[in-house]
């Protein structure tokens, strides 16, 4: 049984969707990133967009979508995840009491001390799964299970740029000021989104991220 479905989305887009039993181990979890890199080597695509459980590839007009659909299904079992070389980011976080911080509330709700929350959050290695919600807003998997809790019942009307937050199974950084329902643990001064730079978004799908609880450049 295949662990993906690959179907056409209109005439010029393909969706590769992971099935329920995909991502059963770390190697399988890396295959969508390997697929993205493999597709990006072709000049046939306008954009390749990973999501939580899918990759959508937008073809240039005139390219053969059905041929690519067959090629993806044929190549998927042989994708080499060992060749992936994700960018590594170390991002300094100020976990001290800041306006808008939810650190105290989160610690109380989870039955942990504030220092335990900081140690768990900064002790994990995260991976960028996909970009969404805001330009440059990266959903980071790898949040320790002890820190996982639902989004706020009542979202904040204003979350500061650089706020480092958690919700569900993810951590993230707000690239710009925005309303938001995630629990803010600290703040960083790293720029996550620059429309004038070549890469635009500092964090890309597949990148690895670590947080440190002191002032350092990222």
């Amino acid at each position: 049984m295949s662990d993906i479905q690959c179907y056409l989305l209109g005439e010029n887009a393909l969706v590769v969707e992971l099935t329920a039993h995909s991502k059963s181990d770390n190697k399988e979890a890396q295959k969508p990133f390997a697929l993205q890199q493999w597709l990006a080597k072709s000049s046939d695509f306008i954009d390749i967009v990973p999501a939580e459980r899918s990759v959508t590839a937008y073809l240039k007009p005139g390219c053969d979508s059905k041929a690519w659909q067959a090629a993806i299904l044929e190549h998927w079992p042989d994708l080499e995840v060992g060749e992936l070389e994700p960018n590594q980011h170390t991002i300094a976080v100020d976990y001290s009491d800041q306006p808008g911080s939810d650190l105290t509330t989160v610690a109380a709700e989870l039955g942990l001390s504030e220092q335990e929350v900081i140690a768990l959050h900064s002790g994990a290695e995260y991976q960028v799964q996909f970009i969404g919600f805001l330009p440059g807003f990266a959903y980071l998997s790898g949040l320790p299970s002890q820190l996982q809790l639902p989004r706020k019942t009542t979202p904040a009307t204003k979350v500061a740029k650089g706020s480092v937050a958690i919700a569900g199974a993810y951590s993230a950084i707000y690239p710009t000021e925005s309303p938001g329902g995630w629990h803010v643990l600290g703040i960083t001064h790293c720029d996550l989104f620059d429309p004038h730079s070549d890469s635009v978004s500092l964090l890309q799908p597949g990148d690895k991220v670590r947080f440190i609880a002191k002032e350092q450049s990222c």
Side-chain angles (χ1 to χ4, degrees):
M1 179 185 297
S2 175
D3 57 356
I4 62 167
Q5 297 178 359
C6 182
Y7 55 87
L8 302 179
L9 183 66
E11 296 180 352
N12 295 312
L14 288 160
V15 178
V16 180
E17 186 173 275
L18 305 182
T19 58
H21 61 284
S22 304
K23 291 192 172 185
S24 56
D25 56 38
N26 186 58
K27 183 178 179 181
E28 289 299 308
Q30 305 306 306
K31 290 187 75 170
F33 304 123
L35 175 65
Q36 183 188 14
Q37 289 190 2
W38 180 64
L39 294 176
K41 294 177 182 176
S42 169
S43 60
D44 281 5
F45 297 96
I46 299 171
D47 199 6
I48 303 165
V49 182
E52 186 169 23
R53 296 192 62 81
S54 66
V55 176
T56 301
Y58 296 89
L59 283 157
K60 293 177 181 176
C63 293
D64 191 336
S65 57
K66 291 188 176 180
W68 269 109
Q69 183 182 24
I72 290 169
L73 289 170
E74 180 181 358
H75 190 58
W76 174 263
D78 300 322
L79 279 171
E80 293 291 339
V81 299
E83 297 178 3
L84 285 173
E85 295 182 359
N87 296 318
Q88 306 280 341
H89 304 271
T90 301
I91 296 179
V93 180
D94 182 354
Y95 289 101
S96 62
D97 189 25
Q98 300 279 339
S101 172
D102 302 304
L103 179 60
T104 301
T105 305
V106 167
E109 185 168 347
L110 295 173
L112 301 169
S113 69
E114 294 181 10
Q115 287 306 313
E116 286 174 326
V117 172
I118 294 169
L120 284 166
H121 187 259
S122 60
E125 182 182 63
Y126 300 86
Q127 186 167 35
V128 179
Q129 293 299 307
F130 54 96
I131 307 293
F133 176 52
L134 296 168
F137 188 101
Y139 286 74
L140 306 175
S141 64
L143 183 70
S145 58
Q146 302 98 312
L147 297 181
Q148 295 182 13
L149 73 173
R151 298 183 187 195
K152 295 179 179 178
T153 304
T154 304
T157 56
K158 184 169 69 175
V159 179
K161 174 185 176 181
S163 293
V164 179
I166 59 174
Y170 294 103
S171 187
I173 307 168
Y174 282 78
T176 57
E177 183 179 291
S178 164
W182 292 43
H183 307 272
V184 176
L185 300 183
I187 195 162
T188 179
H189 298 296
C190 288
D191 285 325
L192 276 295
F193 179 73
D194 180 359
H196 303 295
S197 73
D198 291 337
S199 62
V200 181
S201 176
L202 174 68
L203 304 179
Q204 297 293 325
D207 286 3
K208 297 292 184 69
V209 176
R210 282 192 175 277
F211 296 113
I212 54 173
K214 53 185 177 182
E215 293 283 340
Q216 288 185 8
S217 59
C218 59

